[in-house]
Amino acid sequence: MAIIGGTGLYQLAQLQDVESHQPVTRYGAPSGPVRVGMLAGRRVAFLARHGEGHSMPPHRVNYRANLAALQALGATRVLALNTVGGISTAFAPRALGCPDQLIDYTWGRVSTICEEPGTEVLHVDFGEPYSRSLRAAVLAAAKKAGVPVADGGCYGATQGPRLETRAEITRMRRDGCDLVGMTGMPEAGIARELGLEYACLAIVANWAAGAGPDPDEVITLQDVLDNVAVASAKLPSLLGALLEG
Ligand code: HPA
């Protein structure tokens, strides 16, 4: 099992007997060292998506290298932790969610492992973009740990790094998006191409622009980090139950 941490989640404090790896893949180097250790009796790899010092914006992350590095270290399942803004009522700040659909609004990112000339062109099935079995395991673990996690919902992946306009969020709501983040794609698509079981555990940091009770609210980084810190306090018990299960 591998865990990719997002904004506000740069390490897994519970990891024991940690070894650090700096793999270089055919796609280049990942965002930072991969920390491999034991958690709840299982070997787990952890990687901070934006680098441990958050030096990489969402559009510059080498998603291919990150996933290939985790796979090279033996991971077959990847749980992606993604900090998001909430659009629909189930995704209020500090909530956790496990979406089952996504819409990709990103552009100009390297979004496939079929990029280099001469590589086989894959047209992977992506109708159900997240692994059904890993999602079920996450939801069962959440129940066992007594941690509320919203089941399902559509993740809208935006380009960033700026946040969205209110009109963009209104359009995304119309499109059927329940949450919005900047890193869900191309990560999920590349994971599918690589044959990894991949699911997203979304951590709601704020109401998306204009989606909350105060339509004039300004989203600050401090609010985002505070809400992620509060929501993340629920992760150790959930991850423990997931790995034991
Ligand atoms: N929009 C996009 N990405 C985000 C947000 C948001 O409001 N909050 C945290 N990540």
Side-chain angles (χ1 to χ4, degrees):
M1 168 80 83
I3 296 169
I4 301 180
T7 299
L9 287 156
Y10 306 112
Q11 50 187 330
L12 262 195
Q14 318 99 283
L15 217 53
Q16 307 268 304
D17 303 326
V18 181
E19 302 158 17
S20 295
H21 296 262
Q22 308 259 14
V24 177
T25 73
R26 59 187 297 200
Y27 308 110
S31 300
V34 182
R35 311 288 185 189
V36 179
M38 298 300 289
L39 206 166
R42 295 280 190 95
R43 190 162 171 262
V44 177
F46 179 83
L47 174 62
R49 182 185 289 112
H50 301 279
E52 290 180 353
H54 199 124
S55 50
M56 233 160 284
H59 63 290
R60 301 298 296 265
V61 170
N62 189 339
Y63 295 94
R64 301 194 303 175
N66 284 356
L67 291 163
L70 296 171
Q71 191 168 44
L73 287 165
T76 55
R77 300 196 296 170
V78 176
L79 180 62
L81 306 178
N82 297 86
T83 300
V84 300
I87 299 176
S88 57
T89 49
F91 299 95
R94 304 185 176 183
L96 300 175
C98 191
D100 61 355
Q101 275 300 327
L102 67 78
I103 298 179
D104 187 6
Y105 299 90
T106 68
W107 48 270
R109 302 182 181 190
V110 179
S111 59
T112 172
I113 60 169
C114 312
E115 187 73 17
E116 288 72 24
T119 44
E120 184 196 354
V121 179
L122 304 170
H123 294 288
V124 290
D125 179 85
F126 203 47
E128 189 170 338
Y130 301 110
S131 157
R132 190 177 289 192
S133 68
L134 185 52
R135 284 192 68 252
V138 168
L139 292 164
K143 201 165 183 184
K144 192 167 147 200
V147 174
V149 174
D151 176 1
C154 181
Y155 179 114
T158 55
Q159 178 69 0
R162 66 165 178 82
L163 296 166
E164 298 72 35
T165 65
R166 291 179 198 146
E168 285 169 336
I169 295 299
T170 301
R171 177 177 77 146
M172 291 178 77
R173 191 198 290 281
R174 238 178 6 242
D175 284 353
C177 295
D178 298 293
L179 32 136
V180 52
M182 300 173 190
T183 50
M185 282 298 281
E187 200 171 82
I190 293 168
R192 179 63 53 86
E193 289 181 339
L194 290 170
L196 290 161
E197 296 279 323
Y198 177 97
C200 163
L201 183 61
I203 300 164
V204 186
N206 55 276
W207 285 115
D214 172 7
D216 291 328
E217 185 186 14
V218 174
I219 302 163
T220 68
L221 182 62
Q222 199 54 51
D223 287 346
V224 165
L225 295 177
D226 289 350
N227 287 329
V228 172
V230 171
S232 301
K234 302 178 241 173
L235 290 179
S237 58
L238 195 164
L239 294 177
L242 176 63
L243 291 160
E244 278 160 14

